[in-house]
Amino acid sequence: MPELSQIQSAVLASERVRLLAQLDELGFGPNGSLTYDTNFADSSQVTAERGEAERLAADLQESLDDVDKALERLAEGSYGICERCGKPISEARLEAMPTARRCLDCAKLP
């Protein structure tokens, strides 16, 4: 049976590809080009759509950053160790949230 870190590496890599594709589809990736019709009669609608796309892209970028940081922790050998208390993060938590940086107890703290 593969080791948890190998499984998590594959899960994180797959998630990274998915997030990059979504950003690209929205026009915020390296191949994307976010364009809006400037001649459209309802400029407030265009502004609202642009704002919504930018908020969604910011959320996707934040998720991508979390995935990249988790992959860095995997590479350096600190993946699965709570950043706050230094104890191992449970496998169940890592399976549910592969980018988790804190154990469940520490995640509840401010």
Side-chain angles (χ1 to χ4, degrees):
M1 181 173 168
E3 187 179 313
L4 177 65
S5 63
Q6 291 172 325
I7 294 169
Q8 291 307 99
S9 179
V11 167
L12 289 165
S14 175
E15 180 67 1
R16 186 174 195 285
V17 168
R18 186 186 71 77
L19 290 166
L20 286 169
Q22 285 184 319
L23 281 165
D24 195 42
E25 187 176 308
L26 278 173
F28 289 90
N31 301 319
S33 58
L34 188 60
T35 58
Y36 293 93
D37 184 358
T38 56
N39 296 319
F40 189 67
D42 188 356
S43 64
S44 63
Q45 179 65 29
V46 170
T47 301
E49 287 179 15
R50 181 181 297 141
E52 184 62 31
E54 288 171 354
R55 282 188 293 280
L56 180 55
D59 289 346
L60 290 169
Q61 186 61 53
E62 185 178 332
S63 295
L64 180 60
D65 292 345
D66 289 343
V67 167
D68 285 341
K69 288 174 187 170
L71 287 167
E72 287 174 16
R73 289 191 304 276
L74 263 169
E76 67 187 24
S78 62
Y79 182 80
I81 304 298
C82 178
E83 289 181 352
R84 188 160 199 267
C85 70
K87 294 179 183 175
I89 299 171
S90 72
E91 280 189 36
R93 177 157 170 76
L94 290 172
E95 286 175 13
M97 187 177 174
T99 59
R101 299 176 323 178
R102 293 182 174 187
C103 68
L104 196 53
D105 290 336
C106 290
K108 294 176 186 177
L109 300 172

